[in-house]
Amino acid sequence: MKQMDGTDVTACERCEELVESRSRIVNGTGPADADLLFVGEAPGAQEDKQGDPFVGRSGDVLDEALRAAGLDRGDVRITNCVRCRPPDNRDPRSEELDNCRPYLEREIDLVDPELIVTLGKVPAQHLLGRDVGVTGEAGDVFDPDVAGQRRQLLVCVHPAATLYDPGQKDTFVDAIVAAAEYTDEGSGQRRLGDF
Ligand code: URA
């Protein structure tokens, strides 16, 4: 597991049900000054076991797309809206999202990324504060107010969506490549043939 940093939560009992369902709190990983901050929904089984975000099958899909964009996991920051695994991998409830929001806002403040990339519907709606059609809006950049500060945010589908529907893979990879190009990170070269 990674070194602790100022964005880590070491103890929290705000969500009664999640305190029961989690094995541990899963904090963000990656450089504290990363240009790109990926925000997912909540830890799944593997993340709960290992203690890092996106280390299961969704993480493999994300790593592959990062490589296609000339990046690797060590170049970017990865976190979630909610830091504890919900039971049976259900979506986090709105009160759980609200309880965890100060931790996410603190991480966004400290990392101060050039671009936030939301992975899936839950983080997009949480940070944009409206309904989002992630497939239609993937690759689009918005500038929501997050904790009193304008942030650049690119919408992306969840990597798991590409496992259920391989037709979403190009949409997913294109959005990650667009994110890399936006921040001038990575080679920005598309090698979809590698997929
Ligand atoms: N899905 C998420 O949204 N976050 C993770 O950390 C893993 C899977």
Side-chain angles (χ1 to χ4, degrees):
M1 235 189 289
K2 67 176 180 104
Q3 293 281 87
M4 302 275 292
D5 68 33
T7 73
D8 285 350
V9 179
T10 52
C12 181
E13 310 260 307
R14 290 181 193 177
C15 306
E16 214 177 305
E17 205 181 343
L18 301 193
V19 170
E20 287 296 312
S21 60
R22 76 179 179 210
S23 308
R24 71 198 80 242
I25 297 169
V26 177
N27 289 303
T29 51
D33 61 351
D35 290 338
L36 273 172
L37 170 66
F38 289 86
V39 182
E41 183 178 310
Q46 273 309 314
E47 290 76 22
D48 181 66
K49 204 163 160 186
Q50 295 183 40
D52 289 332
F54 285 97
V55 289
R57 290 181 70 204
S58 295
D60 293 340
V61 175
L62 177 60
D63 288 344
E64 214 183 331
L66 287 171
R67 280 195 296 276
L71 294 169
D72 76 36
R73 173 176 283 254
D75 299 324
V76 302
R77 184 90 185 178
I78 306 176
T79 195
N80 280 303
C81 293
V82 165
R83 293 177 190 236
C84 299
R85 183 192 181 198
D88 302 321
N89 291 342
R90 66 158 169 75
D91 282 355
R93 302 210 165 101
S94 66
E95 65 270 23
E96 294 163 350
L97 288 162
D98 289 346
N99 285 343
C100 224
R101 186 161 178 124
Y103 303 138
L104 177 61
E105 288 181 351
R106 186 173 64 187
E107 187 162 18
I108 292 170
D109 268 352
L110 287 174
V111 175
D112 192 21
E114 265 182 55
L115 184 68
I116 296 170
V117 181
T118 51
L119 298 173
K121 196 178 188 77
V122 168
Q125 297 197 154
H126 189 48
L127 289 173
L128 290 172
R130 63 169 172 85
D131 278 347
V132 177
V134 279
T135 309
E137 297 188 51
D140 292 349
V141 177
F142 301 95
D143 63 344
D145 184 312
V146 181
Q149 177 125 2
R150 289 263 155 227
R151 296 289 176 188
Q152 300 299 299
L153 182 154
L154 182 142
V155 171
C156 184
V157 297
H158 196 282
T162 71
L163 298 170
Y164 306 125
D165 175 7
Q168 299 245 26
K169 193 148 196 173
D170 284 359
T171 308
F172 178 70
V173 176
D174 286 353
I176 302 294
V177 170
E181 285 172 348
Y182 188 93
T183 58
D184 234 7
E185 284 275 335
S187 66
Q189 275 166 24
R190 274 172 76 170
R191 288 186 295 272
L192 292 182
D194 293 347
F195 280 76

